[in-house]
Amino acid sequence: MARIAFILLCHKNPERIVQQARQLTAVGDYISIHFDARAPQEDYRRIRAELADDPNVTFARRRVKGGWGEWSLVQATLNAIEAAVEAFPRASHFYMVSGDCMAIKSSGYAHDLLDSRDVDYIESEDFFESDWIKTGIKEERLIYRHWFNERSRKSLFYASMDLQRRLGLKRRIPSDLRIMIGSQWWCLRRRTIEAILRMRRERPDVMRFFRTTWIPDETFFQTLVRHLVPETEIVNRSLTFLMFSDYGMPVTFYNDHYDLLLSQDALFARKISPEASDLRQRLGVLYASDRRDFSVSNEGRRLYGFLAGRGRIGRRFAPRFWETETSLGRDKELLIVACKKWHVAKRLVGSIKHHTNIPALEYLFNEADTELPDLGGIQATLEKRTRHRRALMRMLFDYYETDRLIICLDTASIDLMQDFYADRSVTRMLEVQCSFSDDYLAGHAKRIGLAGAEAPPETIDRLLPTIRYDILYESECIRDASFPNSGQISDRRSPAENAEPIRSFLTVPEETARSVAETPDLFAD
């Protein structure tokens, strides 16, 4: 009978990892855990201590610091595989999972499926001929060497690639390899895993090549399996059910998706919301059961496409939109700087970024040319950003790998403020109140198109009272909304007076708040 060794890559939530490991090993399967070296050491010690008495659990001997898109993720996987191969000689299959994955079938059903065919399950499409890559660079992932992370060191990533392009440093792909691409969530037989480990030792040229490719976890195993295993022994699909939104973000599953998940032609699903405690409990019980009467309709992707295109009316899974990424999540904290004078807010967040490690974005919903990362097109226009604002913010939290994020909003954006405050995330706001001279208001009228560059003084004079009233009215609307966790700073207050609202807004020490409040020329025009 099949015995599965799960290869778990994780970096947070030690309690959930322990629970996941116990659920998977309770039926006789195994698990090898790689806990990211960036994570707190005390979390790692806690996991090891709580699982120390389980002989079906092992750990990668060497932990590495994982970075999205880097070779480090493949290295972490290989480290966990080597530990599993050595610790579990009876394991027949090796199944890649993450901390967000959970079984959507029973262990008996999973073992029967793996016993029924002597094959490897891995999605692997031709890298150059398929349309698997929807956005971003394609052949550049392979033909140039990548030493910098595109997310954390974006300028160096593209500068390095551009320099190689201009110098003609295009490299050759190993001649005997057909590069493949696909999902990193695979299930491979023991002899396939052992063949990969042998090739790793015998082909240093292949290892050197993949170490400097971009996003190798989508190409390394996919390519080597096709190279080592006859095509008749490969099923070109993943046994893990996952879906992506139009913007390339994984769709998250919640409590009301239990029946939908069980009807999919897969053994596991990714990703299960950390807030879906009921779903997690039911799926944990399911894997330990002996149930085999699953009715597989495989409707998930079609249903998602239908509902995401038309919106939810609350008739199937409860009154919530199927665009599950619309909620930022309870663990996220959105910090809003509201200010009519954009240059003042930009100066303030610049100082905040200097004194803290909180990522900050300027007027992304008000200013078309705000610098934003490439998120698959959702960031391309103000209309798209505003229409998909919560999805955009969720993607930005993921991009910066943070639970706290600062954005600037114009004081006229009361609807956006109300929408973000209605989310389950923690939202804080700091209103920056400024004085407005007639000269500034005249310039403002020209900047927003209320007056032409050559408008006569008489026209400007008639506009000024209306503009001034509108600005005061916007500030009054913010105060009338009585947003919780909100405060104000003002150019009519001293830095010492402004420091306390800044401290409360950022939840930083008083010394840091004073340094931000004392930013030179903060309110200068």
Side-chain angles (χ1 to χ4, degrees), residues 333-368:
E333 186 174 2
L334 180 63
L335 307 177
I336 300 173
V337 174
C339 184
K340 196 66 180 178
K341 288 187 176 181
W342 294 4
H343 62 281
V344 174
K346 291 177 182 180
R347 203 174 288 143
L348 177 65
V349 298
S351 180
I352 291 172
K353 287 194 287 186
H354 176 73
H355 290 96
T356 73
N357 61 355
I358 308 173
L361 296 158
E362 295 173 356
Y363 286 84
L364 69 167
F365 296 108
N366 306 110
E367 195 171 32

Side-chain angles (χ1 to χ4, degrees), residues 430-431 433 479 487-499 501 517 523:
L430 181 69
E431 183 188 1
Q433 298 174 339
R479 282 195 289 276
Q488 298 82 34
I489 64 171
S490 171
D491 59 359
R492 292 179 290 276
R493 300 176 186 169
S494 67
E497 293 172 310
N498 285 331
F523 294 96

Side-chain angles (χ1 to χ4, degrees), residues 411-429:
T411 52
S413 303
I414 187 73
D415 57 333
L416 291 174
M417 300 172 196
Q418 290 171 330
D419 187 60
F420 286 131
Y421 264 97
D423 192 82
R424 288 175 293 180
S425 63
V426 175
T427 305
R428 301 180 184 276
M429 185 163 64

Side-chain angles (χ1 to χ4, degrees), residues 393-410:
M393 294 309 304
R394 182 103 184 191
M395 293 168 77
L396 288 168
F397 275 108
D398 288 343
Y399 179 87
Y400 289 106
E401 299 180 346
T402 183
D403 293 328
R404 305 185 76 207
L405 189 65
I406 299 173
I407 64 170
C408 298
L409 289 180
D410 190 283

Side-chain angles (χ1 to χ4, degrees), residues 16-156:
R16 196 183 308 151
I17 292 167
V18 171
Q19 181 185 45
Q20 185 180 22
R22 286 174 174 163
Q23 288 171 345
L24 295 176
T25 60
V27 295
D29 288 324
Y30 311 105
I31 191 166
S32 179
I33 300 173
H34 179 278
F35 194 66
D36 197 285
R38 296 182 191 274
Q41 185 67 21
E42 56 268 27
D43 287 352
Y44 179 60
R45 285 195 292 265
R46 176 184 173 187
I47 295 168
R48 294 208 63 145
E50 295 199 28
L51 296 173
D53 59 347
D54 192 334
N56 288 2
V57 177
T58 192
F59 292 84
R61 283 202 178 92
R62 187 169 66 87
R63 297 164 60 204
V64 299
K65 295 180 179 179
W68 187 90
E70 296 178 6
W71 168 257
S72 55
L73 295 183
V74 178
Q75 184 64 62
T77 305
L78 290 170
N79 291 352
I81 288 173
E82 288 180 330
V85 168
E86 181 179 340
F88 310 128
R90 297 181 61 190
S92 61
H93 294 77
F94 294 76
Y95 196 124
M96 182 79 178
V97 293
S98 75
D100 293 324
C101 294
M102 288 203 72
I104 55 174
K105 298 291 189 295
S106 67
S107 61
Y109 183 98
H111 294 152
D112 288 348
L113 175 68
L114 296 180
D115 282 333
S116 66
R117 299 179 67 184
D118 187 20
V119 294
D120 295 307
Y121 291 89
I122 183 168
E123 183 182 29
S124 55
E125 304 286 346
D126 187 279
F127 185 93
F128 294 101
E129 295 179 5
S130 72
D131 63 347
W132 203 87
I133 298 175
K134 302 297 184 184
T135 61
I137 61 174
K138 187 171 182 178
E139 68 171 2
E140 293 87 350
R141 292 190 186 190
L142 306 176
I143 63 175
Y144 299 118
R145 296 170 178 84
H146 299 282
W147 297 284
F148 305 103
N149 189 293
E150 192 268 348
R151 286 190 170 183
S152 60
R153 307 178 76 180
K154 193 180 189 75
S155 59
L156 286 174

